[in-house]
Amino acid sequence: MIVATAITRDTTMTDTAHRDGNVSAPGFPPLLRLSLNSTLALTGPVLVALPCLLAALLGLNTYAPYGADAAFGIAVGAAAVVAMAQTLILAARPPLVEQLFGGLDRMYRVHKWLGISAMVLMILHQQIEPDFERLVRETSLGELGEEAGELAFNALLALVAVSWFRRLPFIGLEIPYQLWRFSHRFMGALFAIVVFHQFFVDVPAGVDPTFMLVLNSFGIAGVVAWIFTELLAPHLRRRDFTVSQISQTGDTTTLMLTPKGRAMRWRPGQFAFVRAPEAGLSEPHPFTIASAPRPDGSLTFSIRALGGWTRSLPATLRTGTRVQVEGPYGRFDFRKGGARQIWLAGGIGITPFLAWAESLTEAERRDIHLVHCVRTQDEAIGLETLRAAAARNPSFSFEVVVTARDGRLTAERLIGAVPFAIRQADLWFCGPTGLKDGILKGLKAQGQTPRRVRFEQFEFA
């Protein structure tokens, strides 16, 4: 989950969470479902779809004189190139572009589906590969470009397939994250070979150069984005912190980090990527920041042990250990909600709400009720922060539901606990999808569907 809330799912991609999204169909890769309340809901997906469509239409129009098969083969190949270029651009995590998608989690989902779309288009291009041998004057560079393109396309197909099927359905087999991430980094290099192919492959004389200009521009942009991601971003975006405090509550590790040099600025509810190369934890994992901004720039992460990376934290990190933080990212912000709000957290999903609660001031006029569901009392973290927020602001209240003692939270119990009508409130959720789905289904049956539902997701990929 991203969630500095930890989300950890380092068994697959990272410890991340989705943000402000909706649920996907079970059994399939989580397909982006957009909040109708967001003015940016369709902006990002439309902006990445249009260039793919433009490239396909230009390819069809440019090569129409050479037959329908040739035109279609070129069109799908061009759309594949543009889609792959955009996956690399989105992988660079450009902050301005993130805003167009309403958050990094949404942007990564579009990134994933762009890659899947590119794979399908590559297969079609390979099956309907245009044959211009009798229409072009072949050159040695053109032949090299054709062979390179063939090799790169096949390799890219393999890597995209690995990304898509990293967790195999039904049997539960999963490619280790470290191996997946290592192989994933080669996509940019293979794409650069594809760009070489499109630059130098022999084409019929008299072809309108507009098509190749568009295609080459996206190709170069994709390669530049990959170079930036691999070589420049790690040095420009990461800030150095040191571990000033480390504590353990059950299977949750809480870290307080103090900045070395310039502090990071963030809003409560945002997340950041954390790595600790000194401790042998060099892979960046995303976690929600579990604290509000403080004058000294320190920040807190509460990370539940859900995978190898997160389980190793108590044994590998010590006070004074240097860590690197990249961020902030995300747009999970309760201040964009209405006057009445319900915050519902499942397990480690409490972390963004801890940051929100810490940020509440006496002047806050929203009526807010927080419900934190945990299996055992030991899993309840941040109670001091919640008690302080409740003492500071009478409009904020909270309760902890311990399922081993109190039973599972139901919609009926939630309706009875909240001091206002749920159908007149916004519901903010972070935690397991099953909890959210069950509560929303029950609320609908009771005629208490919230005005809006915003939630954090526990995966990016």
Side-chain angles (χ1 to χ4, degrees):
M1 150 179 203
I2 269 168
V3 255
T5 227
I7 214 184
T8 183
R9 169 222 143 189
D10 60 349
T11 43
T12 74
M13 170 169 185
T14 82
D15 307 350
T16 91
H18 339 270
R19 307 180 141 336
D20 196 12
N22 289 317
V23 191
S24 56
F28 290 88
L31 177 61
L32 180 66
R33 291 180 56 192
L34 300 165
S35 168
L36 298 177
N37 299 305
S38 174
T39 57
L40 295 176
L42 294 175
T43 304
V46 168
L47 287 179
V48 299
L50 287 178
C52 297
L53 180 61
L54 172 64
L57 291 176
L58 282 175
L60 280 173
N61 184 65
T62 302
Y63 283 87
Y66 302 95
D69 287 348
F72 183 74
I74 290 293
V76 295
V81 168
V82 172
M84 279 304 303
Q86 291 186 99
T87 63
L88 294 171
I89 292 171
L90 297 185
R93 302 199 283 263
L96 294 179
V97 175
E98 178 196 351
Q99 297 178 21
L100 299 177
F101 292 83
L104 190 64
D105 65 322
R106 290 180 170 184
M107 190 172 82
Y108 267 166
R109 292 187 180 279
V110 173
H111 160 89
K112 178 172 184 174
W113 283 97
L114 271 175
I116 292 171
S117 301
M119 180 178 70
V120 174
L121 293 168
M122 287 177 197
I123 293 172
L124 289 174
H125 178 73
Q126 292 290 74
Q127 296 301 313
I128 317 173
E129 186 175 359
D131 184 5
F132 298 125
E133 288 186 4
R134 299 180 181 180
L135 301 174
V136 301
R137 182 178 180 180
E138 295 187 357
T139 63
S140 57
L141 194 57
E143 291 180 0
L144 178 61
E146 185 173 351
E147 294 175 0
E150 185 84 16
L151 172 65
F153 267 106
N154 290 332
L156 277 171
L157 283 176
L159 289 183
V160 173
V162 167
S163 297
W164 190 7
F165 296 109
R166 184 155 48 93
R167 178 181 293 170
L168 298 180
F170 307 117
I171 63 175
L173 180 65
E174 184 172 335
I175 297 174
Y177 169 70
Q178 294 83 352
L179 179 60
W180 171 85
R181 186 170 183 270
F182 178 76
S183 65
H184 208 64
R185 298 178 68 178
F186 284 102
M187 283 193 177
L190 292 173
F191 181 73
I193 298 176
V194 172
V195 174
F196 174 85
H197 161 79
Q198 74 184 36
F199 260 89
F200 297 108
V201 68
D202 295 318
V203 298
V207 170
D208 186 351
T210 303
F211 169 62
M212 291 307 297
L213 178 63
V214 171
L215 208 56
N216 292 339
S217 297
F218 273 95
I220 292 172
V223 172
V224 169
W226 173 66
I227 293 173
F228 173 81
T229 300
E230 294 296 325
L231 301 180
L232 298 178
H235 303 287
L236 297 177
R237 290 178 170 174
R238 291 172 181 166
R239 299 170 189 263
D240 289 334
F241 284 75
T242 56
V243 177
S244 54
Q245 293 182 27
I246 181 169
S247 60
Q248 191 80 12
T249 302
D251 59 356
T252 298
T253 301
T254 298
L255 304 174
M256 180 178 289
L257 308 181
T258 302
K260 296 180 63 178
R262 188 163 57 97
M264 185 177 74
R265 299 177 62 183
W266 75 92
R267 298 185 304 274
Q270 289 190 294
F271 66 95
F273 290 83
V274 180
R275 65 193 295 265
E278 279 188 359
L281 304 173
S282 58
E283 297 161 355
H285 284 61
F287 302 95
T288 299
I289 302 169
S291 58
R294 299 162 178 164
D296 63 356
S298 64
L299 47 82
T300 299
F301 292 105
S302 292
I303 304 169
R304 187 177 178 188
L306 297 177
W309 197 96
T310 49
R311 290 192 189 100
S312 67
L313 294 180
T316 55
L317 295 185
R318 296 287 183 272
T319 301
T321 300
R322 184 176 66 89
V323 299
Q324 294 179 328
V325 178
E326 176 190 338
Y329 296 101
R331 301 174 66 83
F332 196 58
D333 188 354
F334 80 96
R335 299 186 191 281
K336 297 178 181 178
R340 293 178 174 176
Q341 299 186 16
I342 304 157
W343 298 352
L344 178 56
I348 195 61
I350 187 63
T351 50
F353 301 122
L354 292 179
W356 289 357
E358 185 178 327
S359 72
L360 293 176
T361 65
E362 297 177 0
E364 179 60 59
R365 291 295 175 260
R366 293 177 178 84
D367 291 323
I368 300 169
H369 185 71
L370 165 67
V371 178
H372 183 199
C373 298
V374 293
R375 290 174 298 178
T376 65
Q377 186 65 45
D378 290 342
E379 292 184 3
I381 63 172
L383 295 181
E384 302 82 359
T385 298
L386 299 179
R387 293 189 187 107
R392 189 167 60 245
N393 190 312
S395 297
F396 173 77
S397 58
F398 76 96
E399 64 177 299
V400 178
V401 176
V402 181
T403 57
R405 178 191 67 202
D406 308 321
R408 296 179 63 86
L409 178 69
T410 63
E412 292 78 7
R413 178 171 178 176
L414 184 63
I415 292 170
V418 175
F420 42 79
I422 292 180
R423 64 175 174 270
Q424 299 175 357
D426 295 344
L427 174 64
W428 298 82
F429 176 82
C430 188
T433 299
L435 173 62
K436 171 176 61 61
D437 292 348
I439 292 296
L440 291 180
K441 182 179 179 180
L443 291 176
K444 183 178 180 181
Q446 296 288 327
Q448 289 287 339
T449 300
R451 291 176 62 249
R452 292 187 298 180
V453 179
R454 303 289 183 88
F455 61 88
E456 296 238 292
Q457 300 175 353
F458 270 60
E459 300 178 6
F460 269 148

